[in-house]
Amino acid sequence: MGLIDDHEGPKLVDLEKYKLGEAVVRKKELFLRIDGNSIYLTRDIGGAVERYEKYKFDKMIYVISSQQGLHVAQFFKALELMGFPWAKDLVHVNYGLVQGMSTRKGTVVFLNQIIKEAKTVMHEQMQKNEEKYNAVEGPEMTSEELGITGIKIQDMAAKRISNYTFNWDRMLFFEGDTGPYLQYAHLRLASISRKNPHLLPLPPPSEININPLITSAHAREIAFLLGTYSDVETHELSGVVTFAFRLSHAISSAWETVIVKGEEDIEKGKARMWLYESARDVLAASMKLLSIRPLERM
């Protein structure tokens, strides 16, 4: 197709006018004879063509470090110039790096070390309330799940593209907007149906009288947030984390005024429970998007 600048030396595709420099598609003949290897760009082009022919995908997402941004841009542009209409359906989801670790310097921290330490910290926290601790089935597993939740939220709370330096305190900090806070918000929602069995089963949504909710600013805030969930950018995990915390804060603010337990008006109690059950569904869905397992007790 005349895309290659066929001069002596490496074979290049000139992408200067797209501000993407020159993309090498084949090494100099001398090096080609010595090692016989193809290079990343040609393998990626071949791989993309093969995948499209096999899957006829609607979208193909490449999760690759932001350090490789130029390479990916050259790769996508080469496919576009080769006349593949599906080149526009390729997406680069980039990410930053965890810095401060080096095998050479002996500063690498392995994930199992972090999880073990986080589990220990959470187990000690759980044991401070003996009554609640005894009510938990499998406290060892629960403490590990809480520790993992904390680690994941600390890792995902920042913008995906941002680098950060590994820090033990950051990984083991469990106060404020942290993973355990999200788990606590979810388990409180999960406890509502257990504590109010007389309101179950709830009628279909179309039969629920929502008028008692309309008059509550806290209930309206929760409902508004639930309606925005579908707009959350799922390629940017920090956006999902932010949404989950906003919803958890709104739920926490509503506990004192949007009360279910002890509400004598059954219709009002069912409307409130329906709101909280909906909030539980959405909060759990956002946590699962972050690969976090929502807990029922802790």
Side-chain angles (χ1 to χ4, degrees), residues 254-297:
W255 285 126
E256 299 300 321
T257 56
V258 187
I259 300 169
V260 177
K261 190 173 177 61
E263 176 54 59
E264 296 179 359
D265 186 329
I266 297 297
E267 291 296 307
K268 188 180 288 186
K270 286 188 174 184
R272 290 173 174 176
M273 180 183 275
W274 173 66
L275 178 70
Y276 284 131
E277 287 290 294
S278 299
R280 175 192 176 185
D281 288 344
V282 173
L283 180 60
S286 67
M287 292 169 74
K288 289 173 183 175
L289 266 181
L290 300 169
S291 71
I292 291 169
R293 185 170 71 87
L295 297 174
E296 301 286 325
R297 298 176 186 270

Side-chain angles (χ1 to χ4, degrees), residues 61-73:
I61 300 169
Y62 287 83
V63 183
I64 302 174
S65 160
S66 54
Q67 289 182 316
Q68 301 297 321
L70 177 61
H71 166 78
V72 177

Side-chain angles (χ1 to χ4, degrees), residues 156-160 233 236-243 290:
M156 298 174 186
K159 288 287 185 182
R160 186 189 69 233
E233 172 52 70
E236 180 55 76
L237 292 179
S238 64
V240 182
V241 172
T242 299
F243 171 85
L290 300 169

Side-chain angles (χ1 to χ4, degrees), residues 39-55:
I39 59 175
Y40 284 124
L41 190 65
T42 47
R43 289 202 295 274
D44 283 342
I45 289 171
V49 172
E50 183 181 51
R51 289 181 188 122
Y52 184 77
E53 289 174 350
K54 183 175 181 179
Y55 300 111

Side-chain angles (χ1 to χ4, degrees), residues 183-193 195 251-252 255-256 295-296:
Q183 291 285 18
Y184 181 65
H186 181 268
L187 73 87
R188 287 193 74 178
L189 291 170
S191 71
I192 293 176
S193 59
K195 294 177 180 178
I251 293 163
S252 179
W255 285 126
E256 299 300 321
L295 297 174
E296 301 286 325

Side-chain angles (χ1 to χ4, degrees), residues 145-197:
E145 200 67 43
L146 282 169
I148 291 172
T149 301
I151 293 165
K152 287 182 175 180
I153 290 298
Q154 289 293 350
D155 185 63
M156 298 174 186
K159 288 287 185 182
R160 186 189 69 233
I161 198 171
S162 301
N163 297 331
Y164 71 84
T165 301
F166 178 83
N167 182 287
W168 272 108
D169 293 335
R170 173 192 170 100
M171 288 291 115
L172 301 176
F173 185 73
F174 296 129
E175 296 179 7
D177 283 353
T178 61
Y181 179 84
L182 293 182
Q183 291 285 18
Y184 181 65
H186 181 268
L187 73 87
R188 287 193 74 178
L189 291 170
S191 71
I192 293 176
S193 59
R194 293 199 301 268
K195 294 177 180 178
N196 299 278

